[in-house]
Amino acid sequence: MCKFVILQYPLYIRNKCKKNKSRSICKVHLVGMSSSGGPTPPFTTLSVSRPAETITHVEICRPEKRNAMNKAFWLEMVDCFNQIAEDSECRVVVFSGAGKLFTSGIDLMGMASDILQPEGDDTARISWNVRRVITKYQETFSVIEKCPKPVIVAIHGACIGGGVDLITACDIRLCTQDAWFQVKEVDIGLAADVGTLQRLPRVIGSRSLVNELAFTARKMYADEAKSCGLVSRVFPDKDTMMAGALEMAGEIASKSPVAVQGTKVNLIYSRDHSVPEALHYINTWNMSMLQTQDLMKSAQAAMEKKSLKDITFSKL
Ligand SMILES: CCC/C=C/C=C/C(=O)SCCNC(=O)CCNC(=O)[C@H](O)C(C)(C)COP(=O)(O)OP(=O)(O)OC[C@H]1O[C@@H](n2cnc3c(N)ncnc32)[C@H](O)[C@@H]1OP(=O)(O)O
């Protein structure tokens, strides 16, 4: 049984991250965390909250280190998103960063042991261990894509290195006017290996621009990120962006979870397959999913010109 404390009226809630000095304030319906289904803190690098009954907010929360991705972060993301995937209350996720900026990428201090001094008695064993580490790090962001709930990422200030890997695994990218993006890996002597080189070309239409960003590690600012399609909306500041992200999340959460989650799974499948393969996949998918009661409920609401916000869909 889920024990939610549902407050009746919109409240102004503050970011729960204790170390976050620049508190973002959003007008939302505050709901307590699920005692069974939701992600189970304590996480040391992620702050998880429920701004509404069906929305989970995950915030990377090491503001004093500019949200650098330390060892704990790489593991906690996997636990967190696996739990969200299994949480039948949650329909949409909003992801953001605490403090001055979104993230400064991999923790350059913490990189040392895993990557710079890998264990092993000979080249083969050392290489095998490095491979294991990279596989584990890749899962940190792949888990976002594997989670069937749409993930809206809200980016302010800098989004560097691993941050670009992270956001390209998300479904919808929003940013503030002061945001900038940097595929920084070449500057620290490596080819990006946890998603940017694989996903960014599928996000941005121009292969030439992807190559330029990856080879030069130059900063790309919000306006260019919008014009090339990396983000779909630019907001004047973080508060407005968070309010916009939560409003969008609320809109998505009001729709049939069978329809929304099926849409995410099939969009990702079709990105990676030919049109005939993807048509075959959705055919098989929908031969069961079209039998949902949500179809009739949604169609009836459309006929009666009712908002989907007034329709109750079962948990999924
Ligand atoms: C298999 C692995 C795959 C993953 C690969 C990933 C690769 C990457 O992510 S490459 C990118 C690496 N990141 C960077 O090069 C960014 C380094 N940081 C900065 O350039 C600046 O800190 C930044 C522009 C982000 C912010 O500048 P600001 O003036 O606002 O803050 P600072 O005074 O510089 O920093 C405040 C404290 O945060 C610590 N810090 C910042 N970034 C990192 C980081 N990436 N790793 C570890 N620590 C970081 C900084 O040292 C300060 O700490 P303290 O001195 O203790 O106050």
Side-chain angles (χ1 to χ4, degrees):
M1 263 293 275
C2 274
K3 289 176 193 142
F4 280 107
V5 182
I6 303 177
L7 302 181
Q8 301 288 327
Y9 303 104
L11 291 180
Y12 287 92
I13 62 158
R14 287 183 186 283
N15 188 323
K16 286 202 180 119
C17 176
K18 286 189 197 97
K19 287 172 182 157
N20 181 10
K21 302 223 168 60
S22 71
R23 295 177 181 282
S24 55
I25 303 174
C26 315
K27 192 181 184 192
V28 291
H29 286 89
L30 179 64
V31 179
M33 284 294 295
S34 157
S35 62
S36 56
T40 47
F43 293 121
T44 60
T45 65
L46 300 174
S47 160
V48 184
S49 59
R50 263 282 160 78
E53 198 174 351
T54 50
I55 302 170
T56 302
H57 180 200
V58 181
E59 186 182 46
I60 177 169
C61 199
R62 291 184 78 212
E64 75 289 356
K65 295 288 178 192
R66 303 295 181 259
N67 297 325
M69 299 167 168
N70 63 2
K71 261 189 177 177
F73 166 84
W74 295 94
L75 297 172
E76 288 176 5
M77 280 287 289
V78 178
D79 282 350
C80 181
F81 275 88
N82 280 337
Q83 288 174 35
I84 288 171
E86 290 301 311
D87 175 5
S88 58
E89 300 280 353
C90 170
R91 295 188 185 175
V92 187
V93 182
V94 173
F95 191 101
S96 64
K100 185 176 170 186
L101 51 84
F102 181 70
T103 177
S104 61
I106 196 167
D107 190 309
L108 295 169
M109 306 304 284
M111 250 176 85
S113 56
D114 261 3
I115 298 163
L116 302 180
Q117 292 153 352
E119 287 178 10
D121 291 341
D122 59 22
T123 307
R125 288 171 178 81
I126 294 171
S127 304
W128 202 252
N129 285 333
V130 174
R131 188 175 190 272
R132 267 199 200 114
V133 170
I134 298 170
T135 306
K136 218 165 64 182
Y137 279 42
Q138 287 177 342
E139 186 61 10
T140 295
F141 303 135
S142 295
V143 78
I144 297 173
E145 217 170 63
K146 288 176 191 166
C147 172
K149 327 287 165 84
V151 181
I152 301 169
V153 64
I155 306 136
H156 72 292
C159 174
I160 306 174
V164 179
D165 295 280
L166 187 158
I167 64 165
T168 52
C170 297
D171 303 292
I172 298 171
R173 285 167 291 278
L174 314 176
C175 79
T176 53
Q177 192 61 57
D178 75 350
W180 51 273
F181 304 82
Q182 194 174 20
V183 183
K184 178 85 170 156
E185 280 82 347
V186 287
D187 278 353
I188 62 159
L190 58 92
D193 53 4
V194 288
T196 290
L197 300 185
Q198 295 66 38
R199 295 189 178 104
L200 191 60
R202 289 166 161 88
V203 171
I204 295 178
S206 164
R207 201 84 205 188
S208 175
L209 178 58
V210 172
N211 296 348
E212 182 194 325
L213 295 170
F215 291 141
T216 66
R218 79 161 166 87
K219 293 178 183 177
M220 179 165 74
Y221 293 92
D223 289 342
E224 189 183 1
K226 169 83 164 50
S227 68
C228 77
L230 178 60
V231 300
S232 51
R233 289 201 207 171
V234 180
F235 293 84
D237 53 48
K238 190 177 178 193
D239 285 352
T240 324
M241 174 177 66
M242 292 312 296
L246 287 168
E247 191 186 335
M248 188 185 290
E251 181 66 34
I252 297 169
S254 73
K255 301 180 193 302
S256 151
V258 172
V260 169
Q261 292 180 36
T263 298
K264 171 161 178 174
V265 170
N266 278 278
L267 279 171
I268 289 172
Y269 188 90
S270 70
R271 182 196 64 189
D272 299 335
H273 293 81
S274 70
V275 170
E277 284 165 342
L279 283 170
H280 182 71
Y281 188 76
I282 197 159
N283 197 347
T284 309
W285 182 274
N286 263 358
M287 75 188 196
S288 43
M289 293 302 161
L290 286 182
Q291 297 178 55
T292 175
Q293 51 177 306
D294 295 10
L295 187 63
M296 191 57 76
K297 285 183 181 176
S298 304
Q300 198 169 341
M303 293 297 291
E304 292 169 7
K305 297 187 169 52
K306 274 189 187 163
S307 162
L308 286 179
K309 291 190 170 113
D310 299 325
I311 309 298
T312 306
F313 296 110
S314 306
K315 289 188 286 186
L316 184 65

